Amino acid sequence: MHIMTHLNNAYCSDKYQYTMGKSYLDCGKQDQIAVFNLFYRKAPENNNWAVVSGTEEVIEMVLALGTEKEEFYEKFLPGEEYREFRKYLAGMRFTGEVYAMREGEIVFPTQPVVTVVAPLIEAQVLETPMLCILNHQMAVATKASRVCRATRHPVSEFGSRRAHGPWAAVYGGKAAQIAGCASSSNILTGAFNNVPSTGTMAHSFITSYGSTVEGEHQAFCDYIRTHRGENIILLIDTYDTLKCGVKNAIRSFRENGIDDNYPGGYGVRLDSGDLAYLSQEVRAVLDAHGMKNCKIFATNSLDEYLITDLERQGACIDSYGVGDAIATSKDAPCFGNVYKLVQIDSQPVLKRSEDKIKLINPGFQITWRLMVGGMNKADVTCLRGDALDTAIREGKTVTVRDEYDSFKNKTFKAGEYEARPLQLPVIEKGVRVAPSHTLPEKKAFFQANLASFSPAERRLINPHFYKVDISDALYDTKMALIDNLVKEIDSFEI
């Protein structure tokens, strides 16, 4: 039995979001204005930063809240005791504000990727679906950025068959392209984003002509004839790459008039074996037959480390295809975004933990990126309206101090720096206000961001850590809350 005729992502949630909501309603807390921040504490794989993807789907999810009929809620909130709460949910639409980073933004630990300001129940029930969307897409985007930074050659994403479901395949393909991939093989990713999807052929196409050398030749010829005018890539490792595959490719190209003057572009694909050695040998054979413009496309369980090593060995590879390493963010599949209450009815709050990394920044925040000469120099997260936030908005001289070492500081003089806020309004009073951006625009935005960081901050291994701090007012607010809480805990008895 189908609960819904479509998957409403707003309800891809945990039940405890709704059991808490009932308590809020029964206790009259539903109209308290809550501020929640979504952020992460540590980037995967010793990255210095992560790539934002998924805020578009977050906006759609938030606006889908309250669009189900009352009987839907009875599926997971049955019984007379939930009757009033079900009526409340059926009529509850999102009425608050959402601030979010743009897709393609580069984000550092503890900075709010999304801030929700809304009545308590509305804000609370968004936690699980919002984390589901952003944890997936940011894991994929961040991994894709690493793979693409390992080479100057194009990287195509084609991991749909390894993705954790159709939804993950489609939006993972989008996230990968935002973070630098040249294309995705997934046709829905292409269709939804009005960009081309890419593809070559599988070994089954060749073996369907019978497992013979002549069958491989016939398969190549038929493929060329049926795709003339397009970019044509022939898979040459079905039987033997050097003894027949590349020879049959050359033979088939020649017989069908494909050479270095072919406007659509042409090439061969390697999917197994010693890719460094084979690519060098194949390049030599192609060049010897006058096919210097014939590209070599390589696949086979690649990631940023293998690509770096291939290039170190002098592999003659013009572009790469990467599947599961990107589609599943294979080395770090679980991204660590969390969604925490930071303010209730103008009162900053925090979660304290014996784990220092879990200590959060309280209050309604904004992050500024400070730039000099077009290069990013520091990020600072402030309480909205505090002294530093106001000074930055007014372009005054400001000093940014390290939260953990006051001797580490940097002064930005008035007129010598530029600043931009990272969290922008995307929903106001329950209405979308965010502009729409195409996938190429999101990708270009990421590339411009990336170019604004130094090469040392962009490197894959032991990156130089960019300066990320908080304002004095935010630090003082956090410390005051902790001090008061510790005093209460120390004197607490029953």
Side-chain angles (χ1 to χ4, degrees), residues 50-358:
V51 182
V52 176
S53 179
T55 51
E56 181 65 33
E57 287 71 41
V58 162
I59 294 170
E60 294 172 1
M61 177 276 293
V62 171
L63 297 180
L65 192 68
T67 55
E68 299 297 333
K69 295 180 179 179
E70 190 175 336
E71 49 266 32
F72 162 72
Y73 301 98
E74 200 165 355
K75 300 292 182 182
F76 60 96
L77 297 172
E80 185 62 30
E81 65 272 24
Y82 279 99
R83 179 181 297 277
E84 290 303 313
F85 187 45
R86 290 196 298 268
K87 288 182 180 179
Y88 179 85
L89 292 174
M92 184 185 77
R93 299 300 298 266
F94 186 79
T95 61
E97 279 70 51
V98 177
Y99 302 81
M101 292 189 180
R102 273 189 63 178
E103 293 190 301
E105 188 64 87
I106 288 173
V107 56
F108 291 87
T110 74
Q111 296 175 341
V113 178
V114 178
T115 295
V116 176
V117 184
L120 184 52
I121 299 177
E122 295 176 26
Q124 181 70 68
V125 299
L126 296 176
E127 176 178 7
T128 302
M130 193 177 291
L131 287 171
C132 178
I133 292 167
L134 288 169
N135 277 332
H136 166 246
Q137 289 198 39
M138 287 179 64
V140 174
T142 303
K143 184 63 171 182
S145 79
R146 289 179 60 82
V147 174
C148 293
R149 280 180 284 138
T151 178
R152 293 183 179 179
H153 297 298
V155 175
S156 296
E157 179 278 325
F158 63 95
S160 293
R161 66 188 63 192
R162 300 283 191 262
H164 298 154
W167 187 93
V170 173
Y171 292 108
K174 181 206 81 168
Q177 288 187 73
I178 287 174
C181 284
S183 60
S184 171
S185 66
N186 190 285
I187 58 175
L188 285 180
T189 297
F192 288 169
N193 293 282
N194 296 312
V195 297
S197 50
T198 56
T200 57
M201 61 172 64
H203 292 108
S204 58
F205 182 80
I206 295 161
T207 57
S208 73
Y209 287 77
S211 293
T212 66
V213 173
E214 184 54 34
E216 181 181 56
H217 168 238
Q218 187 61 49
F220 287 169
C221 286
D222 283 357
Y223 192 86
I224 292 169
R225 282 196 291 268
T226 54
H227 292 281
R228 186 174 295 278
E230 303 173 30
N231 181 250
I232 296 174
I233 306 292
L234 303 180
L235 179 60
I236 62 173
D237 73 330
T238 303
Y239 303 126
D240 189 297
T241 298
L242 298 179
K243 291 182 179 179
C244 65
V246 67
K247 293 176 183 178
N248 264 332
I250 292 169
R251 178 185 174 196
S252 303
F253 284 138
R254 281 179 172 170
E255 290 174 357
N256 289 277
I258 305 295
D259 57 23
D260 282 359
N261 296 316
Y262 177 64
Y266 72 119
V268 295
R269 174 181 160 208
L270 300 172
D271 188 49
S272 61
D274 185 333
L275 295 180
Y277 167 75
L278 288 174
S279 67
Q280 292 165 346
E281 293 297 309
V282 167
R283 181 76 272 159
V285 173
L286 291 169
D287 288 353
H289 286 80
M291 294 185 170
K292 295 183 182 295
N293 290 344
C294 185
K295 303 299 184 183
I296 299 176
F297 180 52
T299 57
N300 187 23
S301 300
L302 297 175
D303 62 17
E304 67 268 42
Y305 306 107
L306 289 171
I307 289 173
T308 297
D309 197 50
L310 284 169
E311 304 220 333
R312 180 186 60 79
Q313 296 176 65
C316 297
I317 296 171
D318 298 292
S319 62
Y320 297 91
V322 181
D324 53 352
I326 289 177
T328 67
S329 184
K330 194 171 184 178
D331 295 311
C334 183
F335 198 85
N337 278 320
V338 295
Y339 184 82
K340 298 297 180 184
L341 182 67
V342 294
Q343 184 168 295
I344 188 74
D345 278 350
S346 301
Q347 177 186 350
V349 296
L350 54 72
K351 172 188 178 293
R352 178 179 177 266
S353 174
E354 293 179 5
D355 228 342
K356 287 186 178 180
I357 197 171
K358 290 195 171 183

Side-chain angles (χ1 to χ4, degrees), residues 309-459:
D309 197 50
L310 284 169
E311 304 220 333
R312 180 186 60 79
Q313 296 176 65
C316 297
I317 296 171
D318 298 292
S319 62
Y320 297 91
V322 181
D324 53 352
I326 289 177
T328 67
S329 184
K330 194 171 184 178
D331 295 311
C334 183
F335 198 85
N337 278 320
V338 295
Y339 184 82
K340 298 297 180 184
L341 182 67
V342 294
Q343 184 168 295
I344 188 74
D345 278 350
S346 301
Q347 177 186 350
V349 296
L350 54 72
K351 172 188 178 293
R352 178 179 177 266
S353 174
E354 293 179 5
D355 228 342
K356 287 186 178 180
I357 197 171
K358 290 195 171 183
L359 181 62
I360 70 173
N361 292 325
F364 186 19
Q365 301 155 34
I366 186 170
T367 305
W368 290 96
R369 182 155 291 163
L370 307 180
M371 299 159 284
V372 176
M375 297 300 291
N376 300 325
K377 296 299 180 182
D379 285 8
V380 60
T381 300
C382 310
L383 291 172
R384 288 178 181 257
D386 73 13
L388 185 58
D389 177 36
T390 301
I392 292 172
R393 289 178 188 276
E394 295 175 354
K396 294 180 178 178
T397 297
V398 295
T399 297
V400 178
R401 296 181 181 82
D402 189 284
E403 180 179 356
Y404 303 104
D405 186 349
S406 60
F407 291 102
K408 292 182 180 179
N409 58 75
K410 185 173 179 61
T411 297
F412 295 85
K413 294 184 179 180
E416 296 183 3
Y417 72 94
E418 296 178 359
R420 68 179 180 90
L422 301 189
Q423 299 86 11
L424 304 172
V426 296
I427 296 176
E428 291 181 351
K429 296 181 179 178
V431 177
R432 178 182 179 135
V433 295
S436 295
H437 299 284
T438 65
L439 183 54
E441 287 172 340
K442 295 171 185 178
K443 184 174 179 178
F445 179 65
F446 168 73
Q447 295 295 344
N449 282 335
L450 188 63
S452 298
F453 288 92
S454 73
E457 291 157 349
R458 300 198 300 262
R459 65 190 177 212

